Amino acid sequence: MSAREPGRRPVTRRALLRSLGAAAFASAAAPPPGADTDADAEFERGFGDEFLDQYWQRNTAAAIAAGYYRVAGRLTIPDARYRRAYRQFLDRALARLQGLAPERLGERQRTDRAVLDGQLRYERWALASAREWQWNPAQYNVAGPFALIFSTDYAPLEQRLRSALSRLRDVPAYYAAARQAIERPTLEHTRLAIEQNQGALEVFGTELERRLEQATLADDERALFAQRLAAARGAIADHIRWLQDLEARLAAGGARSFRLGQTLYRQKFLLMNQSGEDAESLYRRAVREQQRVLEHMTQLADRLWDRYFPGAQRPADRFDRIGRMISRLSDSHVAAPDYLPSIERLIPQLAQWVGERRLIDIDLSKPLQVRATPAYERGVAIAGIEAPGPYDPGARTYFNVDPIEQLPAAQAESLLREYNDWMLPVFIIHEAIPGHYVQLMYANRSPSRIKSIFGNGAMIEGWAVYSERMMLEAGYGGQAPELWLIYWKWYLRSVTNTILDYGVHVLGMSEARAKTLLMREAFQSDQEAAGKWQRVQLSSVQLTQYYSGFSAIEQLRAQVESQQGAQFDLRRFHEQFLSYGSAPVEVIASLMRQAARG
Ligand code: ZN
Ligand code: ZN
């Protein structure tokens, strides 16, 4: 992933957190709202908190990332026995879901069912068909959950250290199972695994020893901790050496290609995006869209040329022309000390603008608080929403901004140029209002742990991308050509991500062609393009979520608009769309069409 690309990150803890609902989870024991039919009650019995408890028992790392710390003391050992049992667990749950016909369920249960069905079918496919557990050694790393246990104050330090002590016991067995599982991996994922496991050693370093000093532990506990810590460090170091030998052999030949290939890609795309469209169709649409966007950009650059470059010759090449204009517009940006305050000012301005235009109702009684990102979370993104998880209902939502004053001058300048006066509002629209923050606000009105935990990424990102266009079309920024040009560049990134991802994994796109696509044809810096090339080698389908979700929402809106004619009300459309929570657009679309028919 690339820290240069805010709002666009793979599933990390913060990416998960952003989709998690909050305040609405009053009590786990409260009767489920909306369980008004026998089928709904049956769904709640089968897939309520008890099911999630079982799920977390089998996925302790994901549990900790979701704020479910009850299983913190147990490390899941990824051996063949675990995979067999997990497959049975998935089969049983899916069979039970099959028995619950969606038509019999209320809206909340129906969307929960769709989200869960998608998640479990994806996991079964990952286990049985994609088999990434064999070819991606980077899947094996114990550090993340330990880092969360050490750095999150969910319980007193002593209690957290005791969980860690218990979790540490099986670290050697964990890495032994990993080596059993790994078979003909890709070179790229092997290298990533080496790098990330080297990073893992830091989690068990001097900082942890300092915490141990501070804690009041019994002598025997302290001794056991020291012993297990040494064994864990040894196991990680041994594993790194084993991976390095493997890397040397793979470099000589025999590695698996990092390209997923058409069959797996197609399957993964359908399971992940659930947008009602297949991979090839979306790809073809993205290629046409790229040309359309470039035409808009060419016209805007031509229109602006004389205003910004009076008397200067226009480059004949349209990419050069657009690129020069973007660079010129990037000159107007705030100074470093005004970066955070300007974001603080934008958020209420956007909320007010959206309210005045009646685009969507926003609860202004609890304003979003902007703050500098806490130190231990920095470096993941430039800025973004941090919302509490489903197991942490008391916490509040923040808009975190990574401070830039400490950055080296050249880096700060490049960031400020990227988030220039035209770009910054588009970015805040995406992240906050009416993008991610407003989507979360609506999701929380229909509390659902299932949708909070497994929410559909294409829907979540699609809404944020949709909200940018919707705001500009509604007149935000007064139709300034400068704003539109910078907006198209930003939007082109989503379109280009789709072309790149499908191109690399299905069509065998070369690195050279990818770099041309990103830098020349999408106006990205070489640093950004390098990060993107890295990311596309290590992940697949995630990069298509933005454009996939966006275009599914656009299509739905066009359908509802033509269905309702003069009756169509944009605000009602937005509020209804978001009322179903973070469900797949395909499922929301069918519920909305049903409602429109009456
Ligand atoms: Zn986003
Ligand atoms: Zn400057």
Side-chain angles (χ1 to χ4, degrees), residues 43 47 92-101 113 116-118 120:
F43 181 86
F47 298 100
R92 276 198 308 272
L94 279 163
R96 205 164 170 192
L97 268 184
Q98 291 305 305
L100 282 158
R113 183 195 178 283
L116 198 55
D117 187 59
L120 299 180

Side-chain angles (χ1 to χ4, degrees), residues 96-376:
R96 205 164 170 192
L97 268 184
Q98 291 305 305
L100 282 158
E103 310 81 61
R104 290 171 53 215
L105 298 171
E107 272 168 5
R108 187 171 71 73
Q109 286 77 9
R110 191 160 160 182
T111 45
D112 274 3
R113 183 195 178 283
V115 167
L116 198 55
D117 187 59
Q119 176 70 23
L120 299 180
R121 282 192 300 126
Y122 175 79
E123 290 191 22
R124 188 166 67 178
W125 171 85
L127 196 57
S129 301
R131 302 171 79 86
E132 195 167 344
W133 52 271
Q134 275 181 330
W135 54 262
N136 178 3
Q139 286 201 342
Y140 304 104
N141 191 329
V142 295
F146 278 106
L148 288 175
I149 293 170
F150 297 143
S151 68
T152 315
D153 287 327
Y154 67 89
L157 178 63
E158 287 72 21
Q159 187 187 326
R160 290 185 281 132
L161 287 174
R162 283 187 190 107
S163 290
L165 175 60
S166 157
R167 193 174 181 83
L168 272 172
R169 190 194 62 196
D170 289 326
V171 170
Y174 174 98
Y175 282 106
R179 289 189 288 275
Q180 282 282 313
I182 295 169
E183 202 183 310
R184 210 182 147 236
T186 80
L187 196 51
E188 293 75 12
H189 292 95
T190 305
R191 286 179 178 148
L192 180 67
I194 293 168
E195 205 178 296
Q196 292 187 336
N197 274 290
Q198 278 162 346
L201 283 172
E202 284 170 32
V203 173
F204 304 106
T206 47
E207 170 69 25
L208 174 58
E209 277 166 13
R210 251 199 314 279
R211 279 172 198 271
L212 277 167
E213 297 284 313
Q214 292 161 6
T216 35
L217 292 176
D219 284 350
D220 56 338
E221 277 179 320
R222 212 174 274 283
L224 188 59
F225 209 111
Q227 183 196 325
R228 286 187 180 170
L229 189 56
R233 283 175 185 156
I236 297 170
D238 286 348
H239 188 67
I240 293 169
R241 273 191 294 277
W242 182 83
L243 287 168
Q244 284 165 335
D245 286 348
L246 179 64
E247 183 201 6
R249 286 201 307 279
L250 293 170
R256 180 191 172 102
S257 168
F258 66 84
R259 300 175 198 274
L260 200 57
Q262 186 168 43
T263 306
L264 288 178
Y265 190 91
R266 223 180 230 165
Q267 295 166 346
K268 183 174 182 180
F269 184 95
L270 290 175
L271 286 164
M272 268 188 71
N273 286 346
Q274 295 180 281
S275 64
E277 182 170 27
D278 69 26
E280 198 188 339
S281 160
L282 185 77
Y283 167 75
R284 273 182 297 170
R285 224 140 45 73
V287 170
R288 288 196 301 273
E289 183 76 339
Q290 179 199 29
Q291 293 312 313
R292 214 174 62 84
V293 172
L294 287 171
E295 276 160 35
H296 288 311
M297 294 178 84
T298 307
Q299 284 170 14
L300 288 164
D302 286 346
R303 217 174 116 192
L304 290 167
W305 189 267
D306 288 340
R307 190 184 305 173
Y308 288 91
F309 298 107
Q313 177 94 41
R314 274 180 219 190
D317 179 88
R318 67 168 173 168
F319 293 113
D320 292 345
R321 236 147 60 217
I322 298 168
R324 291 231 354 234
M325 186 52 70
I326 288 172
S327 170
R328 177 69 182 77
L329 295 179
S330 307
D331 292 343
S332 57
H333 60 76
V334 298
D338 200 35
Y339 177 65
L340 194 134
S342 66
I343 293 174
E344 264 171 338
R345 282 192 301 271
L346 261 170
I347 287 175
Q349 277 169 17
L350 285 166
Q352 200 193 343
W353 200 88
V354 165
E356 281 167 10
R357 303 291 160 124
R358 298 181 45 81
L359 295 171
I360 186 165
D361 181 55
I362 299 175
D363 179 3
L364 294 170
S365 66
K366 287 170 280 177
L368 181 58
Q369 190 178 327
V370 180
R371 67 169 181 185
T373 312
Y376 68 94

